[in-house]
Amino acid sequence: VQLQASGGGLVQAGGSLRLSCAASGASGRTFNTFTMAWFRQAPGKERTFIGGINWNGRSTFYADSVKGRFAISKDAADNTVYLEIFSLKPEDTAVYYCAASVLYGRPSPSDYAYWGKGTQVTVSS
């Protein structure tokens, strides 16, 4: 399974952004068995969990620190997962990664076997 995150860029604080994660290399049936998640990594910091969505897109789970400003959704038909970020803050500046796991509800990067290359989000004040 290959994952490709996109949609990052330079955004002003207070704005919104939608990131996409396209999956390839697996059939639609295989993709729809994975839990998909988003992580981010700021310069000099560890990769941290944002949230995830289950295989059918009907259940999501988020880190407490981002609840209310981040929303994850899934388009099973297009093998794509989205991360919407609202009310962006300079501290949201990071490389954002999508990842896939056969496990649900796990916030640890070590539980995710497949990773995309990440997309840079920079928030200016």
Side-chain angles (χ1 to χ4, degrees), residues 13-59:
S16 300
L17 199 63
R18 188 175 80 160
L19 307 181
S20 301
C21 175
S24 61
S27 66
R29 186 173 182 178
T30 302
F31 173 70
N32 289 331
T33 63
F34 287 116
T35 288
M36 302 296 296
W38 287 92
F39 292 78
R40 64 182 177 180
Q41 188 166 18
K45 296 187 177 181
E46 294 185 350
R47 193 168 298 188
T48 58
F49 171 74
I50 296 172
I53 190 165
N54 79 327
W55 66 274
N56 64 7
R58 295 178 182 174
S59 181

Side-chain angles (χ1 to χ4, degrees), residues 74-96:
K74 181 177 182 180
D75 184 339
D78 290 339
N79 289 355
T80 302
V81 174
Y82 301 97
L83 174 67
E84 291 185 276
I85 314 172
F86 307 99
S87 300
L88 280 155
K89 305 176 181 179
E91 50 264 43
D92 293 322
T93 295
V95 177
Y96 285 70

